[in-house]
Amino acid sequence: MSKDGLLEQSIRTFRTLAMDAVQRANSGHPGTAMALAPLAYTLFTKHLRHNPANPHWPNRDRFVLSAGHACVMQYSALHLTGYDLSMDDLEQFRQWRSRTPGHPEHL
């Protein structure tokens, strides 16, 4: 697969995860997450200094999201970049006591 093909497939994966999570929850808005998918891909793969194996590493970059409607984008990015957020967690988006609430205060 070409580099451009991988980029497009990665962005489509971000968008699909957002659409699926919102659809499954029957609540929320996927639009912002879908529109920001290229940004999320670029930030998490090319610019942010982070380590999924050590998420509390003191010198890591922090990603702060103030738009609650786009939190599914952040959950997708965490899942796709190797953090401890499973597909089961994404499938529980906006469900009571899930690890993926609709408007998180802290991840």
Side-chain angles (χ1 to χ4, degrees), residues 41-56:
Y41 174 83
T42 302
L43 279 175
F44 276 85
T45 62
K46 301 197 183 301
H47 296 288
L48 292 179
R49 291 178 307 145
H50 61 101
N51 181 355
N54 185 7
H56 300 292

Side-chain angles (χ1 to χ4, degrees), residues 66-84:
S66 62
H69 285 84
C71 64
V72 72
M73 178 205 67
Q74 184 173 8
Y75 296 143
S76 298
L78 292 172
H79 170 72
L80 292 171
T81 56
Y83 284 85
D84 181 26

Side-chain angles (χ1 to χ4, degrees), residues 55-73:
H56 300 292
W57 165 49
N59 201 29
R60 72 193 183 280
D61 286 334
R62 274 74 166 180
F63 179 76
V64 177
L65 181 69
S66 62
H69 285 84
C71 64
V72 72
M73 178 205 67

